[in-house]
Amino acid sequence: MPDQKTKTVVSKILDTKDVTTCKATAQMIKKARNDGVELCFDRAANMKACPIGADSACCKHCSMGPCRLNARDPYGKVGVCGATIDTIMARNFGRMVAAGTSAHTDHGMQMLDLFREVVNGHVKDFEINDPQKVLDVAASIDIEVEGREFQDIANDLYAELERTYTQVDGEIPFAKRVPEKTLETWRKLKIVPRGAMREIMEMMHRSCIGVDQDYKNIMQQASRTALADGWGGSMVSTEISDILYGTPSPVVAEVNMGVLKENMVNIIIHGHEPNLFESVIASVNSPTLVEAAKAAGADGINLVGMCCSGAEMMSRHGIPHAGNFTSTEAILCTGAVDAMGVDIQCIKQGLAKVAECYKTPLFTTNPRCKIEGVKHIGFTDENPRDCTDEIVIKAITRFKSRSLPVEIPQIVNPGVHGFSYEYINYMLGGSFRGSYTPLNENIINGRIRGVAGVVGCTNPRVKQDYVHVELVKELIKNDVLVLQTGCSQIALAKAGLYTPEAAYLAGPGLREVCETVGMPPVLGLGSCVDNSRILIAASEMVRTGGLGDSIADLPVAGAAPEWMSEKAIAIGQYFVASGVYTVFGVTFPIVEQTRFHELMFNGLEEQGLGKWGFSPDPHEIAKMMLAHIDKKRKALGIDKARERVLVDMNDRRQIDAA
Ligand code: NFS
């Protein structure tokens, strides 16, 4: 039993069948309940979401309020300052975009800081692993590379990319990668981002009381801010991480809680920054620490990832992954986690109590993310091992003194991960004629109906993994190639969709392509900042030809069916502003039958951008995405009559048996 002093009484009893389709998580929820330990699922069941807040119909931006409007009569009332429902919803939405963008850009800027310090030789523990990518990225933004010293090119690349964040005026460097017609639309709408800091600052300013009170004008700045994330902060983060740690290529990796090993020192790293994780890899491979683990009676040290940095490390190095966002507390109930190190983002404060219950040392490492009562071991790029060696030593000590019974769900799902934009190029075209031509050809000839990005979080307000898995199964069944990142990728990996054999679940056209190339019907691209890889792939599809002149012309669609974070809203808005129809599940912060709703779900598309969609139901989301893909095929003149294929009972039996 866990520590009696720290356990909490769970009031509302949950049926695990209603909260998750992840069998390992379900097993741990039951164990937690027996142990009297509360998890996020219990907190969600016992915390009714505020209906006014869920509709985004309230404003607390000044002390004349907070003002609450009535979603059933949205125009019957205004705030004390006179703000209408449209102003209030647009301001709230803009601030969510600003918050999400700030998270990705702050992360990206830290990666860029590290690149600068590696290039100038101040940081010795990290190095450039993909020098070719330095040249490729530099060339993509018109930095001269021919006949120049590598160091000079790298310095120029740093200086140029710094503008992504700090530039006061002008277009961000990666605007050069945007298809011409898409960029033209942005210029017309005045939404080409300057620097992310400037855009976030202006978004926050404009959403203050008494500033921007025209919902269309507020959304113009929200789009510009979001684009500073997708084509700016996030894209720089992905490119620099590839440069420093290597560009991913397919690798077999194991996913699910069974990656924990009873007879080993288990360490989980959970968060979003690859530098912490890379340094832990060095620590767990240190002969001294491996010896210490063995001296403590363990067979060795077992390093495992969770959430986004976990997805990134799995893609790059094949490091096992233990689960997505809603499983981070549940996994501690195994009693087998000897240390958990976290950095930034999606770190639940609830982890502290669960870790205490199961005597798992939990460490924060980044000055941006401390948790009351949790030990902080500061991580620095200059001396990274000081932090990560200490985490490993603490884990070994905990292994030696394990006093609680260990129960590890014995479920492991191997799969192929690590598809980058570059690898897709190579995979489809071969090393001598790498290109997206075969992808475009297969879309034009109808073998592949379209491409979907299914990404984002899990959320204890909906059955974990269920919406992701049902949606993706239906999309591939209908010959839609699915690209994935983040916690969604982990959901599908746990469902067994990351094996080439899973192609049997795909429709005949997609199956044929998968079998020819030897790829799974879903391609995992890594963490949430790696959604920028989807933008680059979409640009390349436009450039390759035959599918229209802008991203908005492509037969593509996106979804975040179990989203929860403001980061997801920023991502959704940059996909919409890039021209992609993007459907969210769970809930959407909006009141229907308002002008703001009309703008978001139709008006933006009329401006030449993409648009939003919403449904909590995976089959409905699939229907909406397929209808959009078909509409785009028709506009391109490549449509042929197709029936939407439903996943029938026979398919379900096959899936369950898989
Ligand atoms: Ni994305 Fe990563 Fe997961 Fe959602 Fe959180 S880990 S950045 S926000 S929950 S996908």
Side-chain angles (χ1 to χ4, degrees):
M1 286 291 286
D3 191 336
Q4 294 299 311
K5 285 196 301 279
T6 51
K7 75 177 197 175
T8 30
V9 177
V10 179
S11 51
K12 203 163 172 177
I13 300 300
L14 304 168
D15 187 337
T16 54
K17 284 202 298 300
D18 297 333
V19 293
T20 183
T21 54
C22 170
K23 292 194 177 82
T25 304
Q27 187 180 333
M28 287 304 105
I29 293 173
K30 285 184 191 143
K31 180 167 189 297
R33 188 172 308 144
N34 288 337
D35 294 344
V37 173
E38 186 183 73
L39 304 176
C40 64
F41 304 99
D42 306 297
R43 294 193 296 271
N46 289 294
M47 169 77 70
K48 193 172 177 306
C50 164
I52 302 167
D55 285 338
S56 196
C58 58
C59 178
K60 58 176 181 63
H61 295 187
C62 80
S63 70
M64 292 189 288
C67 298
R68 294 176 300 161
L69 270 55
N70 185 348
R72 270 171 305 206
D73 181 18
Y75 293 105
K77 214 173 163 186
V78 292
V80 175
C81 70
T84 63
I85 184 77
D86 299 306
T87 298
I88 288 172
M89 289 189 295
R91 283 200 298 224
N92 290 342
F93 197 88
R95 285 198 168 194
M96 291 179 88
V97 169
T101 300
S102 71
H104 292 139
T105 49
D106 195 26
H107 165 181
M109 200 162 178
Q110 285 179 85
M111 294 301 110
L112 193 62
D113 287 342
L114 174 58
F115 174 67
R116 179 192 62 229
E117 297 304 292
V118 168
V119 170
N120 68 23
H122 294 160
V123 162
K124 307 271 185 233
D125 282 62
F126 298 99
E127 56 185 21
I128 291 175
N129 260 292
D130 190 345
Q132 182 58 44
K133 187 142 187 177
V134 172
L135 307 182
D136 294 346
V137 177
S140 78
I141 49 173
D142 300 338
I143 294 172
E144 186 58 52
V145 293
E146 283 308 314
R148 293 185 68 207
E149 291 289 326
F150 182 82
Q151 180 80 16
D152 295 339
I153 298 168
N155 280 327
D156 284 0
L157 182 60
Y158 170 77
E160 192 62 13
L161 291 184
E162 195 199 60
R163 295 202 293 112
T164 303
Y165 304 98
T166 58
Q167 180 174 261
V168 173
D169 216 351
E171 298 179 351
I172 52 168
F174 285 146
K176 294 198 172 80
R177 293 175 160 188
V178 180
E180 217 173 296
K181 193 163 156 229
T182 303
L183 188 59
E184 215 176 88
T185 306
W186 293 359
R187 284 180 179 146
K188 197 175 81 215
L189 298 173
K190 297 193 174 31
I191 57 170
V192 189
R194 295 159 293 180
M197 289 174 169
R198 178 119 214 209
E199 301 310 352
I200 294 164
M201 180 167 64
E202 188 170 325
M203 184 74 256
M204 293 306 287
H205 174 200
R206 279 163 68 161
S207 53
C208 274
I209 154 74
V211 189
D212 203 346
Q213 287 151 118
D214 175 335
Y215 66 99
K216 288 187 183 162
N217 206 42
I218 295 168
M219 280 312 296
Q220 179 237 14
Q221 181 57 21
S223 290
R224 187 154 55 160
T225 306
L227 291 171
D229 177 351
W231 296 85
S234 282
M235 197 174 280
V236 169
S237 181
T238 294
E239 300 295 52
I240 294 297
S241 299
D242 283 356
I243 285 169
L244 291 172
Y245 311 119
T247 304
S249 60
V251 58
V252 174
E254 293 185 328
V255 175
N256 218 325
M257 291 193 192
V259 300
L260 294 178
K261 302 289 172 241
E262 179 153 8
N263 53 350
M264 295 182 92
V265 177
N266 292 304
I267 300 174
I268 293 181
I269 299 298
H270 153 35
H272 286 76
E273 296 206 324
N275 47 354
L276 172 73
F277 215 129
E278 292 282 345
S279 180
V280 181
I281 293 175
S283 294
V284 299
N285 284 306
S286 132
T288 326
L289 292 173
V290 173
E291 256 333 290
K294 288 190 173 154
D299 289 351
I301 308 172
N302 182 35
L303 175 61
V304 165
M306 286 193 97
C307 278
C308 271
S309 53
E312 200 170 327
M313 292 300 121
M314 176 179 73
S315 296
R316 241 182 227 119
H317 306 302
I319 302 272
H321 196 292
N324 50 24
F325 173 68
T326 27
S327 299
T328 54
E329 292 170 334
I331 200 164
L332 298 175
C333 306
T334 58
V337 183
D338 297 303
M340 179 182 268
V342 300
D343 49 44
I344 48 161
Q345 299 176 19
C346 303
I347 320 292
K348 296 185 207 79
Q349 187 162 4
L351 285 170
K353 199 158 186 186
V354 184
E356 204 183 339
C357 289
Y358 291 96
K359 298 187 171 39
T360 291
L362 173 68
F363 303 109
T364 56
T365 59
N366 189 300
R368 289 166 182 76
C369 172
K370 294 189 178 180
I371 300 176
E372 199 187 340
V374 170
K375 185 171 165 54
H376 186 79
I377 309 178
F379 177 89
T380 63
D381 290 332
E382 291 71 27
N383 296 300
R385 293 285 298 278
D386 290 357
C387 166
T388 57
D389 284 3
E390 192 180 338
I391 291 176
V392 177
I393 291 164
K394 291 282 193 320
I396 295 170
T397 309
R398 195 282 188 171
F399 177 88
K400 236 187 326 195
S401 56
R402 271 188 198 172
S403 56
L404 297 171
V406 166
E407 178 185 333
I408 301 172
Q410 294 303 316
I411 307 171
V412 173
N413 306 102
V416 185
H417 298 267
F419 288 88
S420 52
Y421 153 77
E422 289 85 347
Y423 190 83
I424 296 172
N425 207 25
Y426 162 77
M427 171 177 76
L428 294 169
S431 52
F432 295 111
R433 51 175 193 97
S435 88
Y436 274 53
T437 307
L439 175 64
N440 283 26
E441 277 171 359
N442 279 311
I443 292 173
I444 292 164
N445 68 28
R447 268 192 206 96
I448 295 177
R449 186 178 194 156
V451 179
V454 181
V455 306
C457 327
T458 53
N459 181 331
R461 295 257 172 235
V462 297
K463 203 194 287 184
Q464 183 192 13
D465 297 344
Y466 168 79
V467 197
H468 290 293
V469 173
E470 290 297 306
L471 168 61
V472 170
K473 281 192 310 206
E474 191 159 339
L475 289 172
I476 63 171
K477 181 89 189 162
N478 284 280
D479 291 321
V480 174
L481 175 65
V482 175
L483 307 181
Q484 291 214 280
T485 59
C487 292
S488 185
Q489 179 174 339
I490 303 306
L492 270 295
K494 288 188 286 175
L497 276 270
Y498 273 86
T499 58
E501 298 74 50
Y504 80 89
L505 293 169
L510 177 61
R511 192 186 317 145
E512 193 185 330
V513 176
C514 291
E515 283 167 0
T516 310
V517 182
M519 68 180 194
V522 285
L523 304 180
L525 303 177
S527 67
C528 273
V529 289
D530 295 329
N531 281 318
S532 58
R533 299 190 200 276
I534 301 179
L535 295 177
I536 299 174
S539 302
E540 196 55 34
M541 285 165 70
V542 174
R543 214 158 281 131
T544 300
L547 294 175
D549 303 327
S550 73
I551 295 176
D553 293 337
L554 295 171
V556 303
E562 299 183 25
W563 77 282
M564 62 85 198
S565 164
E566 289 164 317
K567 292 180 287 173
I569 288 285
I571 293 168
Q573 186 61 31
Y574 74 61
F575 272 104
V576 167
S578 297
V580 180
Y581 177 46
T582 304
V583 189
F584 269 34
V586 192
T587 181
F588 201 89
I590 205 161
V591 176
E592 287 182 12
Q593 269 136 31
T594 55
R595 283 169 301 184
F596 179 64
H597 187 276
E598 171 60 22
L599 173 70
M600 302 290 273
F601 286 64
N602 282 314
L604 295 174
E605 190 178 44
E606 284 158 18
Q607 295 172 13
L609 307 175
K611 63 175 177 182
W612 285 92
F614 164 70
S615 170
D617 176 64
H619 306 293
E620 185 61 27
I621 298 175
K623 198 166 136 191
M624 292 156 79
M625 292 169 82
L626 289 168
H628 180 81
I629 286 171
D630 288 349
K631 185 176 92 179
K632 293 295 171 185
R633 293 187 67 90
K634 191 156 189 225
L636 290 165
I638 55 169
D639 58 323
K640 56 176 187 196
R642 276 171 173 279
E643 291 291 310
R644 173 172 162 245
V645 188
L646 293 165
V647 179
D648 63 19
M649 281 319 291
N650 192 32
D651 293 318
R652 271 182 221 287
R653 274 192 292 273
Q654 286 191 24
I655 294 162
D656 291 342

